[in-house]
Amino acid sequence: MPDFPCDAEIDARDLLCPLPVLRARKRLLAMEAGQVLRVWATDPAAVIDMPHFCAQSGHEYLGMYEDDGAAAHLIRCGGAG
């Protein structure tokens, strides 16, 4: 998945819950439906928080992969913010 095409990317490494989700939410508000956001996070809670956030807010959680000690979460914007 490292080569997965993304429209935007944010770096939330070293930020603790709930900051990675809040940063993702803010960025998704500015994105169009169907665009993909990659969120880099090191907080272990993000593995649970990101899919939950997506389910609650109408975005599609595409999955995650790890690279260089961080998790990359892929989210397709549902347009709901």
Side-chain angles (χ1 to χ4, degrees), residues 7-10 20-32 35-39 53 59 77 81:
D7 300 289
E9 185 172 275
I10 60 172
V21 168
L22 294 176
R23 296 262 173 106
R25 180 183 178 277
K26 182 177 181 179
R27 185 65 184 95
L28 286 161
L29 285 170
M31 295 177 69
E32 295 181 17
Q35 290 186 317
V36 176
L37 173 66
R38 182 182 352 251
V39 180
F53 159 71
H59 302 297
C77 182

Side-chain angles (χ1 to χ4, degrees), residues 1-10 24 28 31 34-41 46-47 49-55 59-67 70-78:
M1 276 210 245
D3 294 332
F4 194 91
C6 294
D7 300 289
E9 185 172 275
I10 60 172
L28 286 161
M31 295 177 69
Q35 290 186 317
V36 176
L37 173 66
R38 182 182 352 251
V39 180
W40 290 99
V47 174
D49 294 344
M50 289 293 179
H52 184 266
F53 159 71
C54 291
H59 302 297
E60 180 183 359
Y61 186 74
L62 301 175
M64 55 104 27
Y65 63 92
E66 293 188 26
D67 189 25
H73 300 271
L74 301 170
I75 302 169
R76 184 178 318 279
C77 182

